[in-house]
Amino acid sequence: MESQSTKRLEPMTIPESKRQRTLSHSSNEDTITQTSDMDMSDSEETRLGEDLEHGLIGYLDSPRISKILGECRILVIGAGGLGCEILKNLALTGFKHLDVIDMDTIDLSNLNRQFLFRKADIGQSKAIVAAKFVMSRVPGVEVIPYYGKIQDKDEDYYRQFQLVICGLDSVEARRWINAKLVNMVEEGDMESWKPLIDGGTEGFKGQTRVILPTMSSCYECSLDMFNQPTTFPICTIANTPRLPEHCVEWASVLEWPRVWNDKKYDTDNPEDIHWIYTQALKRADEFNITGVTYSLTQGVVKNIIPAIASTNAIIAASCCNEAFKLVTAIANPLNNYMMYTGNEGIYTYTFEHQKKAECPVCGSESMIAELSPTMTIEELIEWLKDKPETQLKKPSLRTATTSIYMQAPKALEKATRPNLSKQLGSLVEEGEYITITDSALPVSLQLRIKWKIA
């Protein structure tokens, strides 16, 4: 593998030919930021290129870099374990204009690693408290918080930023912002191109990746790399529970709807979680099962992955290093995926994740599905939910002429419900395209049908 430090980075804008969605390969040599050529003469550009070619990095506090950092505006999505570290690092690095979005409030369990918060802050917005804390500790930094969902904001909002950094614990939110930034790209308009840096941790493991919309592979291209949440057979949790997790699942999946009917529990509401916890505890006592705790209940219901402060610090540092490199062009950015493993020593591995031509977000080709014409529409929907490359939640299906099944509005769902039991071959011709929409994606997915030969 060629060392990244030996490649030359040319500080110029990205050629239009390199920004097409049909591009199947991208190189760090083509990767430049919108601000990297700020106030640089031809001789300075040449010297920078020569220095990088020899693995040399210039002064990190030069007037040019200070000006770039002072004018750059970065959006941080998530103010949890990773987000706190990222905000701190960016502010101390010299970035002056930061925005942060988070829909969560501060919980007691956050305080062991989310160091921007104090006990007095419990119940308040993470984004608002984090912004206030950073501004109070780092003079001259402006942090604008938003307490809400990323889906609340439109394209004009995201166009304000030079790049976006994600410190999320939600695959669905990552998919949404990834698709939003890819779809924002307009040919000939560099202001619409926003690099995405994504960090994630799971216990002693973590990863950092740099996504250059329409140029490199996007988050959706690698969806099949991620494990789906663990599920338990309904017969086990209903009749023969053996684990504390079975008891929590019973309380949340079976007992909650029995008691509360159509009311859905709120995973961010302590009262709802406590109710599920007490019911799970009773269930555990009945079957002589130990290990049901409030934190376990939260973990099962919210699919929480254990967080370790040191792993968060390592991944956040990597994300902020990439932000610094992208904005200043002082060194070549990550190309494009770094995996960190800390459970058995310290190990990192960097590789280039390739674009997928059939990616529904950044690809140029539709996905081909080889299916049986006798498959029912209900079975097709379950297949789409389970398929690693799609992992949809509530897909709606239609062709150019027919609404096969629509999840909403209620009247249309009721009208198309009879199709669930019908065979796919009775509604779709071979070679026909099914357009799939889902709440997990702000874009539609095109599925071309090919009949499976028995």
Side-chain angles (χ1 to χ4, degrees):
M1 181 181 296
E2 182 180 359
S3 170
Q4 290 192 31
S5 63
T6 62
K7 295 183 181 179
R8 178 173 177 175
L9 181 68
E10 299 292 346
M12 61 183 71
T13 56
I14 301 169
E16 292 302 323
S17 61
K18 296 294 184 183
R19 297 177 55 244
Q20 303 304 312
R21 296 191 180 195
T22 55
L23 187 68
S24 59
H25 176 77
S26 66
S27 165
N28 276 341
E29 296 178 10
D30 304 315
T31 307
I32 313 299
T33 66
Q34 297 150 302
T35 57
S36 62
D37 57 348
M38 186 181 297
D39 293 341
M40 289 184 66
S41 65
D42 292 341
S43 61
E44 288 175 325
E45 289 185 11
T46 302
R47 187 179 69 253
L48 175 61
E50 292 174 349
D51 286 347
L52 288 175
E53 193 170 338
H54 292 90
L56 301 176
I57 296 177
Y59 294 108
L60 301 183
D61 60 349
S62 69
R64 183 185 75 86
I65 289 179
S66 296
K67 183 177 181 181
I68 291 173
L69 299 183
E71 296 180 356
C72 179
R73 189 172 180 186
I74 294 180
L75 172 64
V76 177
I77 302 179
L82 270 176
C84 285
E85 291 277 0
I86 291 169
L87 286 168
K88 177 260 293 180
N89 289 348
L90 292 175
L92 293 176
T93 299
F95 290 96
K96 301 299 184 184
H97 304 286
L98 307 174
D99 287 63
V100 58
I101 293 181
D102 199 299
M103 62 178 287
D104 284 343
T105 54
I106 299 163
D107 184 78
L108 178 64
S109 62
N110 302 146
L111 302 185
N112 70 329
R113 63 195 181 280
Q114 298 175 22
F115 53 84
L116 300 182
F117 311 136
R118 299 294 180 265
K119 195 170 183 179
D121 300 323
I122 291 175
Q124 298 184 52
S125 158
K126 287 186 177 182
I128 294 173
V129 173
K132 289 180 179 178
F133 192 98
V134 171
M135 286 190 291
S136 70
R137 294 294 293 270
V138 186
V141 174
E142 178 190 41
V143 186
I144 301 175
Y146 176 70
Y147 174 35
K149 299 180 179 180
I150 55 175
Q151 293 88 344
D152 297 342
K153 299 297 187 178
D154 58 15
E155 185 173 310
D156 289 339
Y157 174 81
Y158 292 107
R159 287 178 69 100
Q160 303 175 85
F161 308 103
Q162 275 65 57
L163 61 87
V164 177
I165 306 178
C166 285
L168 291 162
D169 58 2
S170 164
V171 171
E172 183 177 343
R174 284 186 173 100
R175 295 177 73 182
W176 192 92
I177 190 63
N178 171 76
K180 169 63 73 174
L181 296 182
V182 171
N183 282 339
M184 277 173 48
V185 178
E186 298 178 4
E187 186 175 351
D189 181 9
M190 280 302 300
E191 292 297 319
S192 68
W193 187 77
K194 312 295 178 183
L196 172 64
I197 300 171
D198 178 60
T201 64
E202 182 176 334
F204 286 105
K205 299 178 180 179
Q207 80 278 332
T208 301
R209 65 184 305 180
V210 173
I211 297 171
L212 307 173
T214 73
M215 292 179 60
S216 66
S217 67
C218 74
Y219 188 83
E220 200 75 15
C221 290
S222 59
L223 197 61
D224 56 351
M225 293 176 61
F226 302 100
N227 296 326
Q228 291 184 294
T230 302
T231 58
F232 303 103
I234 196 71
C235 58
T236 299
I237 65 175
N239 303 312
T240 57
R242 299 182 300 277
L243 301 171
E245 289 85 356
H246 293 163
C247 300
V248 177
E249 284 285 290
W250 173 85
S252 60
V253 175
L254 298 178
E255 190 65 3
W256 178 278
R258 188 188 70 80
V259 174
W260 300 101
N261 298 319
D262 294 333
K263 178 187 174 183
K264 294 183 178 181
Y265 61 80
D266 182 357
T267 58
D268 294 317
N269 187 330
E271 293 181 0
D272 290 357
I273 299 298
H274 187 267
W275 188 93
I276 294 172
Y277 163 62
T278 56
Q279 299 304 312
L281 203 57
K282 293 177 183 177
R283 180 76 165 175
D285 290 341
E286 182 182 348
F287 286 88
N288 296 316
I289 297 171
T290 60
V292 173
T293 64
Y294 186 83
S295 60
L296 175 76
T297 303
Q298 283 184 305
V300 172
V301 172
K302 301 180 71 172
N303 191 32
I304 294 175
I305 297 168
I308 298 175
S310 55
T311 309
N312 287 340
I314 291 168
I315 297 303
S318 174
C319 289
C320 294
N321 280 345
E322 295 310 315
F324 186 82
K325 289 189 288 183
L326 277 168
V327 170
T328 64
I330 198 69
N332 291 296
L334 177 70
N335 184 32
N336 49 28
Y337 203 117
M338 185 277 286
M339 300 179 69
Y340 164 77
T341 304
N343 55 330
E344 296 180 2
I346 297 177
Y347 174 76
T348 61
Y349 174 65
T350 300
F351 65 98
E352 181 179 2
H353 193 283
Q354 299 296 323
K355 283 171 65 79
K356 286 187 176 179
E358 68 278 10
C359 174
V361 173
C362 72
S364 58
E365 300 177 8
S366 59
M367 186 180 294
I368 299 175
E370 194 170 329
L371 304 170
S372 169
T374 60
M375 171 186 271
T376 65
I377 299 303
E378 189 169 19
E379 289 172 338
L380 173 60
I381 289 174
E382 290 304 313
W383 178 80
L384 288 167
K385 291 180 180 179
D386 295 336
K387 187 175 173 61
E389 293 87 350
T390 53
Q391 296 185 29
L392 302 180
K393 289 194 170 183
K394 297 179 66 176
S396 294
L397 318 175
R398 69 178 188 275
T399 65
T401 58
T402 306
S403 293
I404 299 175
Y405 179 71
M406 307 301 290
Q407 299 276 359
K410 286 186 177 180
L412 194 52
E413 191 280 330
K414 184 178 180 180
T416 56
R417 195 182 303 161
N419 288 340
L420 290 174
S421 59
K422 293 181 180 180
Q423 294 185 350
L424 183 61
S426 67
L427 297 170
V428 180
E429 300 285 342
E430 182 170 26
E432 195 170 3
Y433 289 89
I434 296 179
T435 300
I436 304 166
T437 55
D438 190 273
S439 59
L441 282 174
V443 297
S444 60
L445 186 154
Q446 297 294 318
L447 195 68
R448 186 160 69 89
I449 302 300
K450 180 180 180 182
W451 295 138
K452 183 185 295 184
I453 301 174

